[in-house]
Amino acid sequence: MESAAGAESNGEHEIISWFEGVSENSGYVQTQTLCRILELNSGVEYLKKWLGDINVQEMEASALESLYTSLVPLASHADLETYIQRIADGDTSPILTNQPITTLSLSSGTTEGRQKYVPFTRHSSQTTLQIFRLAAAYRSRYLFPNLSFLSSVLLTHCFLLCVSASRVYPITPGRRILEFIYSSKQFKTKGGLIAGTATTHYFASEEFKIKQEKTKSFTCSPEEVISSGDYKQSTYCHLLLGLHFHDEVEFITSTFVYSIVQAFRAFEELWRNICSDIREGIVSSRISLPKVRKAISDIISPNPGLASWIEASCKELQDKDWFGLIPKLWPNAKYVYSIMTGSMQPYLKKLRHYAGDLPLVSADYGSTESWIGANIDPSSPPENVTFAVIPTFSYFEFIPLYRQNQNCSSSIDDFIEDEPVPLSQVKIGQEYEIVLTTFTGLYRYRLGDVVEVAGFHKGTPKLNFICRRKLILTVNIDKNTEKDLQSVVEVGSQLLGKAKAELVDFTSHADVVNQPGHYIIYWEIKGEADDKVLSECCNEMDACFVDQGYIVSRKTHSIGPLELCIVERGTFRKILDHFIGKGAALSQFKTPRCTADEVLLRILNVCTIKRFHSTAYG
């Protein structure tokens, strides 16, 4: 009879071997993937518009690929919006897919100012299962090679057993995951389809419950907490229950690292209340939702000993400015797992502070529209992580992007484009925008993500996420991406750190109403920094923009001095509340790094308590 460890190893080997095979032959696999998508959706309204009555089943694969990319145009979400709206309104004819659309997922809405419907079919959940299995297998093999895995762990995130190189601890039914996860409301469209964020669909699904049962690894919080609709109350309960099960927690996770950081920032202020709840076994009055109160009351009971331990630990942590909070309070946690790239990168410094020497593992690369790649080297620092494209998930094309010089002022951003190329023709070091053709009805869809090819795994590219293409600062001939902005803010925040103050969050705005136009960077800080330090931060940031268009414009004063606005504590919480109020889920929230949204600007300007103008260019 095969041992449990043998079954685990075979399952791990099987999924990795499959990926190695499709990676080796990625060009062929991509062609076959496109053919399969077109065969499944042959005759749908959108494709007939471009391909007419061509019988795709009778065409040779490479010829069909050439025909498809020459006749079907590149598309944005705006090009598909009327089709998707018809589906939402109840049109069941084959508009985008022959498969029934089961749900509509909502994008976060934080990058472009509004949420978008994205169609989902049964295939969506199948690819989610596959990437979880693959990523878990690579974490098992390369991150902690001495750890064993339940074969059922491959159904979802990596659930580590409590082991070390010298000892393997027995599996018990009491393994827990501290998950900072939040659902928003699901609703029905005019046509009766369920709509909501992708994370909301998942947390409400049977798969989420089955996953916990099969792995015997349970999230600390019950469904009532996850779906409370009040993220502040949910966060409090996540922390309370996480500490209730503190010695059973195997790892800490969230969709985006922002959720983890904001939770532990809140904990710095709430820990005394939580200690009191644990000591008395009574839920704080700050939890006002009856279903949530009952769910928590059914779990906790008076535990003075645990409360005293937490209290002593927190007093010790306070003296260290909460450094190492996670391993101190959750001594059996093995790592922190979340999306840590792109707009999440500015939170890594604070997360490392909380995590101490606990490993930070970056999650895989995907979007509401499609999964894209897996982190097959989970031991890499999050700043250096790359994602190996999985060539069976979608048909991928890549638009080569080239940086503009300072004399190019006609384009909408800082790139000029070449013709799209297939996955097999990308080059190391080149930047691209990703284009997707999915099983769920998106055809040559411009994702808007800018990536760089960092290398190859067998024949499939490994991508480094650069930025969202639309998120740029521009006034004149200057073009600065989100990554450029992050680099500049990092320089400024280092000066802030020397003054023993800390950057909590930031965003920016290109003011073109007041002349000359100029950049405004909004900072929320923790701690005290005098005006001299903040003025120096402003000057340093202004001088650190490396875009030649910006430098020339500043020297000629056609762009005005950088303005640094310090906003009062809690301002970015108000921005979060604004998006939550519009239906976004905390699990998908990303602070906009550049905004022209009038509501956000009103919040920022009302909350501004200090303003500084750069003198870097005289």
Side-chain angles (χ1 to χ4, degrees), residues 142-434:
Y142 296 116
L143 184 59
F144 298 105
N146 294 315
L147 298 181
S148 296
F149 270 65
L150 293 173
S151 58
S152 55
V153 163
L154 300 177
L155 293 173
T156 185
H157 296 309
C158 163
F159 294 104
L160 292 172
L161 301 184
C162 185
V163 302
S164 69
S166 59
R167 181 178 176 191
V168 179
Y169 294 82
I171 302 167
T172 70
R175 297 190 302 119
R176 296 275 176 177
I177 311 105
L178 176 51
E179 297 186 90
F180 294 102
I181 51 180
Y182 308 81
S183 291
S184 59
K185 289 183 179 179
Q186 292 178 308
F187 60 93
K188 284 193 176 182
T189 66
K190 179 181 175 181
L193 285 179
I194 294 175
T197 63
T199 49
T200 296
H201 291 325
Y202 174 60
F203 299 142
S205 70
E206 282 300 310
E207 285 82 1
F208 183 63
K209 298 171 187 174
I210 292 169
K211 169 264 291 185
Q212 296 183 72
E213 290 293 338
K214 284 187 173 291
T215 60
K216 301 302 179 187
S217 295
F218 298 91
T219 187
C220 291
S221 300
E223 189 273 336
E224 291 86 352
V225 171
I226 296 167
S227 63
S228 78
D230 184 321
Y231 78 88
K232 294 177 184 177
Q233 294 193 42
S234 290
T235 297
Y236 185 91
C237 293
H238 285 324
L239 291 165
L240 171 62
L241 293 174
L243 286 168
H244 174 78
F245 296 113
H246 81 286
D247 58 346
E248 300 172 18
V249 169
E250 296 285 340
F251 69 98
I252 288 90
T253 186
S254 70
T255 306
F256 290 113
V257 73
Y258 170 87
S259 299
I260 301 176
V261 171
Q262 73 86 27
F264 289 131
R265 286 191 188 278
F267 180 77
E268 292 182 29
E269 302 173 4
L270 297 171
W271 67 269
R272 289 181 178 85
N273 302 83
I274 292 172
C275 279
S276 177
D277 287 1
I278 291 173
R279 179 173 285 108
E280 303 296 330
I282 300 173
V283 185
S284 167
S285 59
R286 69 176 60 241
I287 307 304
S288 60
L289 299 167
K291 288 184 179 179
V292 177
R293 287 189 64 85
K294 183 179 185 308
I296 301 299
S297 297
D298 288 345
I299 296 171
I300 67 171
S301 57
N303 194 335
L306 176 59
S308 296
W309 177 79
I310 295 169
E311 184 176 29
S313 298
C314 286
K315 287 179 179 178
E316 181 182 330
L317 286 165
Q318 271 188 316
D319 293 338
K320 299 178 181 178
D321 192 26
W322 300 97
F323 178 81
L325 180 157
I326 297 174
K328 179 69 173 178
L329 296 180
W330 290 276
N332 292 321
K334 301 302 178 293
Y335 67 106
V336 181
Y337 177 78
S338 188
I339 293 172
M340 302 179 184
T341 52
S343 60
M344 294 298 112
Q345 203 160 314
Y347 304 113
L348 283 177
K349 182 178 180 181
K350 189 63 176 179
L351 181 62
R352 282 201 173 93
H353 185 80
Y354 287 136
D357 59 359
L358 209 62
L360 305 184
V361 182
S362 184
D364 307 291
Y365 178 24
S367 64
T368 304
E369 293 83 358
S370 174
W371 284 107
I372 296 165
N375 176 7
I376 62 172
D377 186 9
S379 59
S380 289
E383 295 89 344
N384 300 332
V385 71
T386 61
F387 305 97
V389 177
I390 303 175
T392 59
F393 280 7
S394 293
Y395 178 72
F396 299 97
E397 296 175 79
F398 297 84
I399 302 173
L401 302 175
Y402 302 92
R403 299 282 174 170
Q404 295 274 20
N405 62 47
Q406 64 266 34
N407 297 317
C408 296
S409 58
S410 60
S411 70
I412 61 170
D413 58 22
D414 67 333
F415 298 105
I416 54 175
E417 302 176 354
D418 209 337
E419 290 298 311
V421 298
L423 176 146
S424 59
Q425 293 180 22
V426 298
K427 298 177 180 178
I428 294 176
Q430 175 66 53
E431 292 182 343
Y432 298 92
E433 180 184 351
I434 297 177

Side-chain angles (χ1 to χ4, degrees), residues 485-502:
L485 174 65
Q486 285 183 189
S487 297
V488 165
V489 169
E490 176 61 25
V491 171
S493 66
Q494 288 174 2
L495 291 174
L496 194 65
K498 293 178 181 178
K500 300 193 182 306
E502 175 189 332

Side-chain angles (χ1 to χ4, degrees), residues 66-123:
S66 297
L67 187 72
Y68 173 77
T69 55
S70 62
L71 293 181
V72 177
L74 295 173
S76 66
H77 191 272
D79 297 313
L80 298 173
E81 206 156 23
T82 55
Y83 297 95
I84 296 173
Q85 191 61 53
R86 283 169 54 196
I87 294 168
D89 290 343
D91 190 335
T92 57
S93 62
I95 298 172
L96 293 174
T97 67
N98 284 317
Q99 282 186 300
I101 303 294
T102 55
T103 55
L104 292 172
S105 285
L106 288 166
S107 64
S108 66
T110 53
T111 55
E112 295 185 14
R114 65 189 184 91
Q115 292 180 291
K116 301 177 296 187
Y117 282 143
V118 177
F120 259 48
T121 66
R122 187 170 182 78
H123 188 271

Side-chain angles (χ1 to χ4, degrees), residues 544-557:
C544 282
F545 282 103
V546 297
D547 172 68
Q548 284 301 307
Y550 184 78
I551 293 171
V552 169
S553 296
R554 285 291 286 116
K555 286 179 177 178
T556 59
H557 305 294

